[in-house]
Amino acid sequence: SNLRQIATEVGVTTATLSELGFSKQALAAQIVEMYGERLQQVNRTSVAHSVNHVDAIVEMSFASARLTHTDMVIRAGSRLLVERDQIGDDLMVPFAGWEARVTRILEDGQDRGDIAADVEPCGAARTIIGFFYGAQTMSLGLVDANKFPRLLGQFWDLILPTLRPQSAQPSGVRR
């Protein structure tokens, strides 16, 4: 990304960025930080409003996916993370924290019986977060904003039977 592309993504002019004294690296770091904060808020809200731990993780993913195509900061942050190696190593990497958070949710879910006992929480969290970021990156180039939620729905259709205990009745995936 160049400064013009970053400015376009966040809805300002390059002159505004220059007047504020932002370098490309400083601006990128700020956008990625804002990106992480916005998605953390979505994740907290999703967990607070979910009935069980499986539904919390599914809702977090769909709420975050919706923002990928509606929120300029989320779009810009997603693109900048793809180009992290070219921008600089000082960019925050939000997925490390989210992997730990999803691992904790899965562990708590196992304790409450929401998650199958044979699921390895850390590996499952890494798979979920890895898929999400890969699909999000793929979706940035798609014209049809509905493709990311459809990809996510297909992913959950495959994964939910593994996460849920045998005794649980599937509640279905909201798309």
Side-chain angles (χ1 to χ4, degrees):
S1 287
N2 62 36
L3 201 54
R4 183 179 319 280
Q5 288 171 316
I6 294 170
T8 300
E9 280 291 327
V10 295
V12 298
T13 65
T14 53
T16 300
L17 296 178
S18 297
E19 288 170 17
L20 295 171
F22 281 108
S23 68
K24 180 179 175 182
Q25 288 76 17
L27 181 60
Q30 183 64 38
I31 291 170
V32 170
E33 186 175 324
M34 290 168 53
Y35 162 90
E37 290 169 0
R38 287 191 187 183
L39 288 181
Q40 283 292 9
Q41 180 58 43
V42 167
N43 294 346
R44 282 191 295 274
T45 302
S46 298
V47 170
H49 293 107
S50 295
V51 175
N52 66 53
H53 290 76
V54 173
D55 291 343
I57 295 170
V58 171
E59 177 53 33
M60 280 184 344
S61 69
F62 278 105
S64 297
R66 286 188 292 273
L67 288 179
T68 298
H69 290 283
T70 60
D71 187 298
M72 284 190 293
V73 171
I74 299 299
R75 288 184 63 78
S78 299
R79 288 177 191 238
L80 289 166
L81 284 170
V82 170
E83 299 175 8
R84 184 175 188 272
D85 292 342
Q86 299 161 353
I87 294 170
D89 290 337
D90 57 343
L91 287 183
M92 175 185 92
V93 182
F95 16 96
W98 296 332
E99 184 180 315
R101 182 170 174 80
V102 170
T103 298
R104 283 192 306 276
I105 292 169
L106 291 168
E107 290 168 344
D108 291 347
Q110 281 180 324
D111 291 344
R112 291 187 48 196
D114 295 340
I115 305 292
D118 62 343
V119 169
E120 199 282 300
C122 186
R126 189 170 294 126
T127 300
I128 292 165
I129 299 301
F131 173 83
F132 181 86
Y133 281 103
Q136 181 184 52
T137 300
M138 285 174 44
S139 77
L140 292 172
L142 301 175
V143 176
D144 181 0
N146 293 318
K147 287 202 178 195
F148 185 21
R150 279 197 300 268
L151 283 172
L152 205 48
Q154 292 167 348
F155 171 76
W156 286 119
D157 287 344
L158 289 170
I159 298 301
L160 284 176
T162 302
L163 290 178
R164 292 188 195 280
Q166 291 294 325
S167 61
Q169 293 295 319
S171 61
V173 175
R174 283 187 287 149
R175 297 177 192 201

